[in-house]
Each structure stands twice: as C-alpha cells, then as structure tokens.
Amino acid sequence: MRQSSLVVVANRLPIDDSVAPDGACEWRRSPGGLVSALHPLLRHTPATWVGWAGGTGPAPSLPDIGSVRMRTVPLSGEDFRDHYEGFANSTLWPLYHDAVEQPEYHRRWWEAYQRVNQRFAEATAEAAEQGAVVWVQDYHLQLVPGLLRELRPDLRIGFFLHVPFPPPELFMQLPRRAELLRGMLGADLIGFQRAQAAHNFAQLVAKVLELPATDRRIGVGDRVVRIGAFPVSIDTAEMAALAARPDVVARAQRLRHDLGDPDHVILSVDRMDYTKGIEQRLKAYSELLASGHVKVRDTVLVQVAVPSRERVTQYQILRDRVEREVGRINGEFGRVGEPAIHYLTQPFDRAELAALYRVADVMAVTPLRDGMNLVAKEYVAARVDDTGSLLLSEFAGSAAELPQAHLVNPHDLEGLKQGLLSALEADPADVTPRMRAMREHLHRNDIRAWARSYLSALDDGGSLLTHLAPTG
Ligand code: ADP
Ligand code: F6P
C-alpha cells in the first residue's frame, strides 16, 4: 500500500455519494465547515485523507482528488446510528454547544464510538509512512490520537477541534470524560478555535486526570502535549476571485431582480441545526414585520437551510418547526408573488453561493453557539466592493476576529431585532470601513495562514509547509 508523509483524518471525506435526479450515483463535495476549510488547502498537497464516504456498508474505493489519496473507512448501519448519529451528534455535539439541546448518554453509543475510533486509528496507521505527520480532526475522533500513538509511536500527531470545547461544568456530565481527555492527549499538539477552549481543556485535565497543566502545556508522563488556539479560516482569495467573476456578478444582479428588486436583501445560510439560531432569527424577523419596522415590499429575507443529520429526532423536530414558522410568516405577511421569506433547502455550488453573498445587503449569522462559522467569513470575503453589513452572534468563534460586525446576543430577542435594524439602516460611510477592515483581516488570516501556524507548531517548522501556496 502507498503511504504518505501527511495524513489527514476526519470523519468525512471531502466528497460523498449522492443520487442524481436521473437515479445515477454521483460524487459531490460534502457540505460543512470542516471540508470547506481543508479541501482548498490539500488540493495541491501530497497527502492521504482517511475518512468516511457517507454511506453504510463496505467502503467504496475512491479515486485520488488532485494530489490527495482517499482512504475510506466503512461504517455499518449500527456504527452510523450509534457512533455518528449517537455519540458524536446526540451526546458530544449538544454537550459542546452549551447543551442548547439535551445531550443523551447511552453505553451502547460509547461502545460504538470506541469501535469506530479504533477502526480509524488502524486505517491511519496503515496509511502513514515512517515518521509521518498525522492531523486528526474534530469531535468524532477524539480517541484516535491515543489509539494511534499505541499503534505507531513514531508518528507526529496533531488534533484539531472544529467545535467549541465546553466549560468544565458541562464536560463533567460525560460518563466517560477521563477516557475522552486521555484520547486527545495522545496528540503532540491539540488545537482549539479559541483560547477559552484551551483554558477549559487544561482545567479539566488538571481536575479529572490530575496532570500538571497550563493553558499552553500539559505534562503526560515523559511527554509534553502542547495546546493552543488556532482559529480556522477560509480560502479568502478564492472566494474573492469567485465573487468578482463576471458571470457571478451577473447572476447576483439576476437574483436581485428575481427577488423583486427590493431595497434590502437579508441572507442567512446555515446547515439545518439547532445551534444555528434559525428559530430565534425567524421570530425576530416576524416581530419586525408585525411592528411595521420591516416591510415586505422593501425587504426580503432569503433563508438557506440545507438539511443535516436528518434521522436524528432533534433535527427532524427543528426542521418541522422552522418550516411551519416560515409558512406562517409567509401566510401572514407575504403577498401574491412577494413572499416575506424565500426558503431554500438545496445545496448550492460555490458560484451560486458567491452570487447569494453578493446580493445580500445584510448577512445574518446568529448561532446560539458555533466553533467558528465559516459562512460569516465567506460573506466578508465575497464583498469585494466593501459594501454589506454582517450581523454576527457574539457566540460564534468568528466574532472574536470580526469585531467590526454588528454583534448580537441571539438569545436576546430585542437585541437581535435592534441589531438587524442597525445593520439594515447602516450609513454607507460606516459600512465601508467596517467591511474593509474585516476583509483585510481575512486576507491576512486565511486558511493557509491557519495551516501554516498549526503545522509549523506541530512539525517544528517542518517540510510539509513547502507544499502550501502563500497566503494572499
Ligand atoms: P458547520 O461546519 O457547522 O456546517 P460553517 O458555517 O463553519 O458551519 O460551515 C458551513 C459550510 O458549508 C460553509 O463553507 C458553507 O459555504 C457551506 N454550506 C452551507 N450551506 C450550504 C449550501 N446550501 N450549499 C452548499 N454549501 C453550503
Ligand atoms: O465542525 C462541525 C461539523 O461537524 C464538521 O465536522 C462537519 O463539516 C459539519 O459539521 C457537517 O456535519 P456532518 O458531517 O455531520 O454533516
């Protein structure tokens, strides 16, 4: 088997299978922040990506994408239910997002989580050449660093958590908290989105495992595990170039026309997830319509909400509630040919997303909790003419980097309404410098800068970085 000096391990591969309208099976880029972040980065880097291809049963064998080899890990129907839908997305996901929905604890799910993590660790051990750098991603695979170190002590192992890492009061609920912490400590470097998360982790390690821990270093026997904040980003230049393309500009103009040439277009783009604050946002919008502060003819809201984790009950309940509320608002405030909300659940290609970003005068990104939120960054990158206002939740990781956004607390309905109105009514003289500052920040701190800072910390400035194109 061909082995690589850089192995990325993530629950999902950057592509998954879908069924085309004619019934044929086709591959498409998987939605979600992790793939959006890593896909542009690895396109030109010789590496192996170990991950799941999205279905159940035997693992399909996938062709290389550019210089990246795909190594698929199979999930059975039971693994899918108990590992992916269960422990990953019904225990850890809600717990790590402030328990905005109740996390569930089941012993069978924990067994599946261990089993699947073991399978990922074994596949990675086979794919990595002697002394390789292995970069494990996200909450689905927190045991992999420890399991991999046992199998392959020669490897340099990094772990990065894309989602928030919760405060000790919440994490302490986990029945198997010590094992999860120990699993992560198999890494040489543990990266978080925010410094607060690294602090939470250090506190927990000291409390639960009684190891010497600061917010930068943890002593594990004769090893030192480093921890720190590495806020993930996007391919800023690629999004800016896409948004400036003549066909995308023309598409944005067409979209505006099709929306009825309103004075204001508000856009939201989310995975259909209870962490994204979609219901709170709809409520705020509905109250603004009811009070007459926003009028349907002048303003439209485009809500894109691509379905996610569709068999998990909490996601089904959310989708039903969102769709009922959209129907109610359109029924109450819309007119023939003029809905108050344009609601779309389809996945779009990057050019269509860029056109949507270009048409949006206000982008409303108001999650209740989010590790980073790349949609907010994509919107800023697409505003190449320095127009547009970003309404951003203070509970999104990106808020720490984009203080020029209109920051809101999405739990505070009045604050949310006020924030939306301020963004809608912003003076152009105020909009331009805010947007310019955010765009400049993202050009300096793009996905390559993120990878460079993480990999140089992991690999002591090593050789992998030569494959990364410069920031810009
Ligand atoms: P999360 O990782 O929780 O899904 P992020 O905002 O960090 O949230 O990332 C979402 C990613 O998925 C972004 O890159 C965004 O462009 C992409 N995305 C969201 N909705 C769609 C959609 N309808 N079609 C295509 N891509 C989408
Ligand atoms: O980081 C959040 C995350 O779980 C990513 O791992 C993934 O890109 C995204 O959300 C989409 O989730 P899923 O893989 O469950 O569809």
Side-chain angles (χ1 to χ4, degrees):
M1 135 148 3
R2 209 152 34 103
Q3 294 185 316
S4 299
S5 58
L6 174 61
V7 181
V8 167
V9 193
N11 179 58
R12 262 188 205 284
L13 289 169
I15 50 174
D16 58 15
D17 53 347
S18 62
V19 180
D22 63 3
C25 183
E26 58 182 29
W27 295 97
R28 62 153 200 239
R29 174 167 153 160
S30 0
L34 189 150
V35 168
S36 293
L38 291 174
H39 185 254
L41 195 66
L42 287 179
R43 232 176 353 216
H44 306 296
T45 307
T48 294
W49 187 315
V50 177
W52 167 59
T56 55
S61 132
L62 299 186
D64 295 359
I65 301 187
S67 56
V68 184
R69 225 184 105 222
M70 298 290 134
R71 171 74 162 83
T72 47
V73 177
L75 291 193
S76 67
E78 203 182 348
D79 297 333
F80 179 72
R81 188 190 64 206
D82 293 347
H83 162 76
Y84 172 75
E85 296 183 325
F87 197 79
N89 285 314
S90 300
T91 302
L92 295 180
W93 179 268
L95 184 72
Y96 286 12
H97 289 85
D98 290 353
V100 293
E101 288 285 347
Q102 182 63 39
E104 286 183 50
Y105 305 107
H106 299 291
R107 284 164 290 184
R108 202 181 60 240
W109 291 0
W110 168 246
E111 281 157 23
Y113 188 77
Q114 289 174 287
R115 178 170 77 233
V116 171
N117 273 249
Q118 180 70 39
R119 198 175 304 146
F120 269 83
E122 285 166 11
T124 307
E126 279 174 23
E129 68 181 40
Q130 184 68 23
V133 166
V134 174
W135 198 0
V136 184
Q137 313 284 326
D138 232 356
Y139 61 100
H140 315 82
L141 301 176
Q142 278 173 233
L143 302 178
V144 167
L147 295 168
L148 191 56
R149 184 165 293 283
E150 280 174 26
L151 294 169
R152 292 284 306 272
D154 59 295
L155 300 175
R156 198 123 188 95
I157 304 173
F159 179 81
F160 185 79
L161 188 70
H162 290 253
V163 299
F165 190 78
E169 311 81 86
L170 278 177
F171 190 84
M172 289 302 281
Q173 286 186 14
L174 263 178
R176 311 310 289 260
R177 58 204 184 193
E179 285 97 322
L180 274 177
L181 295 174
R182 260 191 232 108
M184 291 167 79
L185 287 173
D188 296 293
L189 175 67
I190 304 175
F192 297 94
Q193 300 279 25
R194 304 191 62 170
Q196 180 62 46
H199 176 70
N200 293 346
F201 182 75
Q203 280 197 313
L204 276 158
V205 164
K207 185 180 165 84
V208 176
L209 303 180
E210 298 181 358
L211 292 174
T214 69
D215 290 4
R216 300 171 73 96
R217 300 163 91 80
I218 295 167
V220 186
D222 56 359
R223 292 193 307 123
V224 172
V225 177
R226 282 165 306 138
I227 64 175
F230 300 85
V232 74
S233 196
I234 58 163
D235 191 338
T236 313
E238 183 191 64
M239 177 51 82
L242 190 58
R245 241 169 51 183
D247 60 315
V248 171
V249 174
R251 176 69 188 142
Q253 282 164 352
R254 177 85 214 165
L255 278 168
R256 189 160 205 112
H257 176 73
D258 289 349
L259 290 168
D261 283 319
D263 295 339
H264 305 285
V265 176
I266 306 169
L267 173 68
S268 288
V269 176
D270 307 283
R271 262 186 318 102
M272 178 71 84
D273 196 298
Y274 50 79
T275 60
K276 302 291 183 184
I278 302 171
E279 289 186 276
Q280 289 76 359
R281 194 185 305 142
L282 290 178
K283 188 162 173 54
Y285 195 61
S286 165
E287 289 195 9
L288 288 173
L289 287 167
S291 63
H293 284 93
V294 168
K295 296 199 171 50
V296 165
R297 189 157 294 164
D298 307 334
T299 305
V300 299
L301 169 62
V302 179
Q303 172 68 64
V304 179
V306 67
S308 176
R309 305 171 191 165
E310 291 176 79
R311 297 194 327 182
V312 177
T313 312
Q314 286 157 335
Y315 287 77
Q316 290 171 352
I317 293 173
L318 173 73
R319 184 170 181 177
D320 285 351
R321 294 214 309 228
V322 164
E323 296 193 343
R324 203 172 325 126
E325 188 58 4
V326 169
R328 185 194 68 77
I329 294 171
N330 277 338
E332 197 168 331
F333 301 104
R335 299 153 189 252
V336 173
E338 285 180 348
I341 302 174
H342 293 256
Y343 173 69
L344 303 161
T345 57
Q346 306 133 46
F348 295 114
D349 64 26
R350 304 298 293 166
E352 185 70 3
L353 271 181
L356 281 164
Y357 292 143
R358 283 219 66 160
V359 89
D361 306 298
V362 172
M363 182 83 204
V365 181
T366 57
L368 304 177
R369 176 63 71 187
D370 212 328
M372 175 53 61
N373 198 292
L374 296 183
V375 164
K377 291 188 171 183
E378 288 170 357
Y379 174 68
V380 169
R383 305 302 299 188
V384 287
D385 55 2
D386 289 327
T387 59
S389 294
L390 175 62
L391 181 73
L392 182 59
S393 163
E394 49 188 74
F395 300 115
S398 45
E401 291 180 76
L402 303 174
Q404 300 82 2
H406 295 259
L407 294 176
V408 286
N409 170 3
H411 300 277
D412 169 12
L413 194 59
E414 286 307 319
L416 191 52
K417 286 161 64 180
Q418 202 44 57
L420 193 51
L421 287 179
S422 309
L424 281 169
E425 290 160 5
D427 181 343
D430 179 41
V431 164
T432 303
R434 284 184 190 232
M435 188 53 80
R436 187 172 299 143
M438 292 193 283
R439 284 208 315 119
E440 283 171 3
H441 174 84
L442 291 184
H443 276 283
R444 282 192 307 274
N445 297 278
D446 69 353
I447 190 64
R448 286 178 202 86
W450 172 72
R452 207 173 291 118
S453 73
Y454 186 89
L455 288 176
S456 57
L458 175 62
D459 191 30
D460 299 327
S463 53
L464 298 162
L465 304 175
T466 52
H467 301 302
L468 293 173
T471 294

